[in-house]
Amino acid sequence: MDFEPAGAPIPHSSHWGAFSVLRRDDGIQIVPHPRDPDPPSLLGNIPAALTHRARIATPMVRKGWLDQGPGPDRRRGRDAFVALSWPEALDLAARELRRVYADHGGRAVFGGSYGWSSAGRFHHAQSQVHRFLNVLGGYVKSVNTYSSAAAAVILPHVIGSQESAGRENVSWHELATETDVVLAFGGLPLKNTSVSSGGTSQHVARDHLLAAHRRGTKFHLISPLRDDLPADIAPAWHPIRPGTDVPLMLGIAHTLMSEGLHDRAFLERFCVGYPEFEAYLSGRSDGQPKDAAWAAALCELPAETIQDIARQVAGRRTLITCAQSLQRAEHGEQPVWMGVVLAAMLGQIGLPGGGFVYAMGSLSNVGKLALAVPLPTLPQGQNKVPDLIPVARIADLLLNPGQEYDFNGRRLTFPDIRLVYWAGGNPFHHHQDINRLRDAFTRPDTIIVHDSVWTASARHADIVFPATVTLERSDIGASANDPLMVAMHPVAAPYGQARDDYAIFADIAARLGVGERFTEGRSADAWLRHLYETTRVALMKQGHDAPDFDAFWAAGELTLPTLPWDGGVVRAFRRDPDGRKLPTPTGMVEVASATIASFGYDDCPGHPAWMPPVEGIGSPLMRDFPLHLVANQPATRLHSQLDFGATSVGSKIKGREPIRIHPSDAAGRGIADGDVVRVFNHRGACLAGAVISDAVRPGVVQLATGAWYDPLDPAADNPLCVHGNPNVLTRDARTSRLAQACTGQLTVVQIERYEGSLPPVRAFDPPGS
């Protein structure tokens, strides 16, 4: 589709907001959508996307793979690349795909993608790569997300799906108008509400929090980080030790029980398993009452404070919120489950503005009205390969073919992967223990990556196809909980020889004789028109304005109807527990789960429980690594996207990712504000820039994820990351055998002031430059 005239605003969208683009002689200017009350600073990263030196300009093939052919190779990530023409590179990829499918079948192909590369509904890389591999015969898939895998598995056993306990349960409007007390475990950080998959036109969290505060809502922030709730709502900050949310919840629950403040009628009518849990809570089953004094010793809050919280929330409209961050840790299922149980003991589940809500404040569109019409969606086809892995087990998959493992009551086996095809994602951002992941990436015969920039994933590939960025193509931007559908007009021509993912897959599919099955005879523009019809027809049937595609495209956006808020299945269950049962094994809130107990997992028993971590409070490792590291989501970018953008680069210290450290911890190590420090443990080390701050509790440091991995010596087995990627430090281990989710939020480290000449940051330089 044609470009807009120079100077005219060009509508577009991203996962962190709808916006328009003004083309200038010296580049582009980003203008937030006029209806957005709180546009995020992340929009400032976008202009760098078009022409940054990190862009990939031409198809590239790793020299060792080109010279010696497919096979495991420890030179990945260390080797040089050779530029090839598109026909040459496409022929190589097609030939290798033909070989692997013919010799080993789809069980030898892993389709990797994380879906965050574009807010567009058609140029959605995850849908594109999965559709392509399904046409070829299927692939081994991953399930769930790094963000929320533990919750995605535990919640259906306890109260319902993640959607039921999150998006459909309690709205921002209800919090602002109904809630008396919020216990925010992990907080409601505004930086996280900047982002939502598919984009958002209105960032509403700040305004609703302020409205609740003005009405008199009392907020309790339970986090080692003071800014996990905004200061202008005057939260009571309870700076607990990282990973001790469950003991605190148990201490509150014990106070409710011992003082007769729990809602016995609700527990009897709407729940199963409370007597079994109370035996654990009281200490009858194991000899240890989980009272406030016991909890205080673990989380380092005064016992009196724990008791006071319990007394404040009893009998009031109380909302228990659980951030995604809590379940990205050892035994991450437990704080989610215990949050539900605490809300059940208060009798608040299913009430407007009360009960339990998961991931509110973790994404922009949680707690907003759902759409009344379906969105354009590219069909992915049928995957004929049944094998799957939990998403955070990618290194285990590649390192341990044939090994059996447990997952949510099933016994599965890791297939033998010969080819990895990755489009739209950067596992060297998402995954823990990068040095282990580097080893895992040496094992397949071939790794093919589509990327727009030289991420670490592209550097560890054998064949790299340069992909366009969202500003270089037409698409439709939309999200299931935001009313604005955006006509994403192209802003610029593709960089170098970059092509859309769709065009790349279509060319390879044609070489393999399945081109028509992949494209169905449609160009990318024809697909946009075809997919738009789904939404237009639904609008027409409901009697709404339903412009044709050309009118929509010319207008630049379309406001879609939303459904009234009804609280979803949880609210319906509260109103009619017999007729509208929950989608759990018993149809009730499962305080204790006979299903989970039947699995026999020692790391996830049949009721919520406190289990000490291998790394963290009480572990021997803390003698050598006495600081808790919180590796949370960044405030200056989405994951690792556009780390070279102005907003992200502007936050760095001497080119390194900032790390916050409490003044007392810094003083004891001779660290001053702005110093470059070495952060290390038994797995690895990185450099970061020190920020001295009392917004982190003593004994805790905070280093956001997303700095591009930049090894000082790529040829070394365990190199120093000079840029500040915390995943050289985090542990690649499961939450439990139930969810097999990632544990990347927390680890233990030591810090020292870096001495000597600072090595250059080369993360954004193309290989060989």
Side-chain angles (χ1 to χ4, degrees), residues 2 72 102 107-108 147 157 198 220 234 286 353 391 404 561 584 612 619:
D2 296 334
R107 293 190 73 243
S147 298
H157 289 285
H220 291 267
D286 64 358
V391 66
E404 293 185 344
T584 63
S619 69

Side-chain angles (χ1 to χ4, degrees), residues 220 238 248 251-252 255 259 291-297 299-312:
H220 291 267
H238 307 292
L248 176 56
I252 295 170
T255 302
E259 298 186 6
D291 58 17
W294 169 85
C299 64
E300 293 188 344
L301 290 183
E304 296 76 16
T305 299
I306 298 171
Q307 293 168 331
D308 286 345
I309 293 172
R311 293 163 188 153
Q312 285 182 42

Side-chain angles (χ1 to χ4, degrees), residues 26-88:
D26 58 349
I28 61 172
Q29 178 184 346
I30 304 300
V31 181
H33 196 278
R35 289 200 309 225
D36 193 342
D38 192 21
S41 63
L42 276 66
L43 292 171
N45 286 326
I46 292 175
L50 289 173
T51 58
H52 194 272
R53 68 181 185 278
R55 289 294 301 269
I56 304 171
T58 187
M60 304 289 279
V61 178
R62 188 173 62 81
K63 187 176 187 302
W65 192 92
L66 191 63
D67 292 344
Q68 299 179 10
D73 197 335
R74 297 198 66 81
R75 290 173 294 179
R76 287 195 183 106
R78 302 160 168 85
D79 211 350
F81 283 87
V82 177
L84 295 184
S85 68
W86 271 106
E88 290 174 309

Side-chain angles (χ1 to χ4, degrees), residues 373-374 533-546:
V373 293
E533 278 298 292
T534 300
T535 304
R536 190 188 72 82
V537 169
L539 288 168
M540 193 163 50
K541 287 181 177 178
Q542 295 182 22
H544 299 291
D545 181 36

Side-chain angles (χ1 to χ4, degrees), residues 400-641:
N400 302 301
Q403 183 180 92
E404 293 185 344
Y405 66 100
D406 292 304
F407 175 52
N408 198 16
R410 302 168 63 188
R411 189 73 174 165
L412 303 176
T413 303
F414 291 124
D416 187 359
I417 299 298
R418 302 303 182 95
L419 185 146
V420 173
Y421 208 127
W422 216 290
N426 180 11
F428 282 80
H429 158 72
H430 287 290
H431 201 70
Q432 288 66 57
D433 194 349
I434 283 179
N435 289 309
R436 186 170 187 259
L437 185 65
R438 292 175 78 211
D439 186 23
F441 264 55
T442 69
R443 304 302 179 91
D445 290 350
T446 299
I447 299 175
I448 303 175
V449 166
H450 296 195
D451 215 328
S452 59
V453 286
W454 281 107
T455 61
S457 300
R459 296 170 193 265
H460 284 78
D462 300 309
I463 300 174
V464 181
F465 290 121
T468 53
V469 298
T470 177
L471 294 174
E472 296 164 347
R473 59 197 182 219
S474 302
D475 213 332
I476 299 171
S479 173
N481 289 78
D482 188 89
L484 194 70
M485 189 162 72
V486 179
M488 298 169 63
H489 290 223
V491 173
Y495 179 85
Q497 299 180 37
R499 294 185 182 179
D500 299 344
D501 293 308
Y502 178 70
I504 299 168
F505 287 130
D507 280 349
I508 298 175
R511 283 166 165 78
L512 295 172
V514 292
E516 183 66 23
R517 287 177 56 198
F518 177 73
T519 66
E520 298 183 21
R522 296 187 182 98
S523 66
D525 287 349
W527 268 110
L528 291 181
R529 293 176 178 275
H530 174 72
L531 298 177
Y532 175 79
E533 278 298 292
T534 300
T535 304
R536 190 188 72 82
V537 169
L539 288 168
M540 193 163 50
K541 287 181 177 178
Q542 295 182 22
H544 299 291
D545 181 36
D548 64 20
F549 181 83
D550 289 329
F552 159 66
W553 198 256
E557 62 183 47
L558 177 63
T559 300
L560 301 177
T562 55
L563 296 170
W565 189 269
D566 64 4
V569 299
V570 176
R571 188 78 47 84
F573 170 68
R574 177 72 186 232
R575 292 174 179 149
D576 182 6
D578 294 320
R580 301 292 299 275
K581 290 185 178 298
L582 290 174
T584 63
T586 62
M588 309 280 275
V589 176
E590 301 214 2
V591 175
S593 167
T595 301
I596 293 176
S598 72
F599 298 157
Y601 297 155
D602 57 357
D603 52 6
C604 189
H607 57 74
W610 162 247
M611 288 165 281
V614 173
E615 296 192 2
I617 175 175
S619 69
L621 280 170
M622 294 205 75
R623 288 194 293 267
D624 295 322
F625 309 110
L627 298 173
H628 286 92
L629 170 65
V630 176
N632 61 350
Q633 295 292 345
T636 59
R637 59 188 171 264
L638 166 58
H639 298 149
S640 64
Q641 284 190 44

Side-chain angles (χ1 to χ4, degrees), residues 130-138 380 382 509 514-515 517-519:
H130 291 173
R131 177 181 174 86
F132 170 71
L133 295 176
N134 281 336
V135 167
L136 299 186
Q380 297 183 17
Q382 182 179 359
V514 292
R517 287 177 56 198
F518 177 73
T519 66

